[in-house]
Amino acid sequence: EIAAKDMRRVLDLVHAVHENTTSTVLPQQVLAGVASLVGCDSACYVRLDPATEQVTILADEPFGSDIGRRPEFAQVVREHPVLHAYQAGLIAGNTSVALSDLADRNQLSRLRLYQDFQRPARIAEQLFSVVVTGRSRSTALAFHRGRRGVRARDRALADIFSRHLAHAERHRDQVGRLTAALHALTRHEEGLARARPLLDGLTARERDVVEHLAAGLTDREIAGSLGISPRTAGKHLQSIYAKLGVVNRASLIAALHRQR
């Protein structure tokens, strides 16, 4: 059973995630708060690449402490039972799974992953919560502790927070895409504004080329129609682009439509 004070702590952490304006989705202080809430010795936020089986540390608490930062970890991460379960589709998004759910002590002790990394780091148990799932990118929270077993309360808190973190990730991605689109639109509008007063500065031949281009003809078709070589048609186009302040056919056609 989750206590009311624990839910308030979760909500405070979720609020901090949404208020974060830096480039990091999960700020260090928030990860530290979640680690304390779940009751673990250390924690990390990772990106999983299902195709290459690479694990990238996005944040860890304490900072720089996670074994996944060591270069040689990439050679043994494929042994991880949680990675196998995730690739097999056995772990749903926003659902926690413990290392002890997937492997007993004997199975784990035979792995190089355990012998070279987990045992020296005194990691006896791990709790994983997949946050975002996708073909090319997935993220997960990983909590490490020195004793076996995970309480139902800890799993539930990890699941609740991971659901909110997934929402924050999707929101941040959407805002990023919209911001990039807005910047591109602004640059396009500025280009059009520069192009409009320059349309009358074209030569008669350049206006002929533009007329054919607007009709959808290729460079070779324009050349054939005007009785000039493709090379000459290309030179006319480069001159037109320079005069109108555009960079390609698409932006030129957009400028023409806007002028009309």
Side-chain angles (χ1 to χ4, degrees), residues 28 34 237 245:
Q28 189 72 26
V34 178
L237 283 171

Side-chain angles (χ1 to χ4, degrees), residues 13-154:
L13 292 169
V14 169
H15 178 73
V17 169
H18 284 283
E19 287 294 306
N20 174 44
T21 57
T22 68
S23 59
T24 304
V25 176
L26 186 60
Q28 189 72 26
Q29 68 272 19
V30 175
L31 180 58
V34 178
S36 173
L37 181 64
V38 175
C40 61
D41 303 317
S42 61
C44 64
Y45 187 48
V46 301
R47 177 180 294 123
L48 307 174
D49 187 331
T52 63
E53 298 182 335
Q54 290 183 338
V55 177
T56 304
I57 306 298
L58 302 177
D60 53 355
E61 171 59 34
F63 178 76
S65 64
D66 196 85
I67 58 177
R69 289 187 180 272
R70 293 166 55 184
E72 58 270 27
F73 181 77
Q75 302 173 9
V76 297
V77 69
R78 293 177 177 84
E79 297 181 347
H80 207 300
V82 172
L83 183 59
H84 290 168
Y86 172 69
Q87 290 176 318
L90 302 178
I91 303 177
N94 312 132
T95 301
S96 297
V97 61
L99 184 60
S100 55
D101 296 336
L102 305 171
D104 58 32
R105 288 180 181 272
N106 291 331
Q107 293 172 323
L108 194 61
S109 64
R110 291 193 292 268
L111 301 178
R112 183 184 165 195
L113 169 72
Y114 176 76
Q115 297 169 0
D116 295 351
F117 293 90
Q118 292 182 334
R119 183 170 62 184
R122 297 182 179 179
I123 297 176
E125 182 67 279
Q126 291 179 299
L127 178 66
F128 286 83
S129 184
V130 177
V131 177
V132 174
T133 58
R135 292 182 179 179
S136 60
R137 179 179 70 91
S138 300
T139 55
L141 287 163
F143 304 98
H144 318 312
R145 54 174 43 154
R147 62 186 186 280
R148 296 279 287 184
V150 179
R151 295 179 298 174
R153 171 255 185 203
D154 298 338

Side-chain angles (χ1 to χ4, degrees), residues 205 212 217-230 233:
R205 177 59 79 185
H212 286 72
L217 275 66
T218 65
D219 289 9
R220 186 171 295 278
E221 290 170 340
I222 292 174
S225 176
L226 297 178
I228 57 178
S229 70

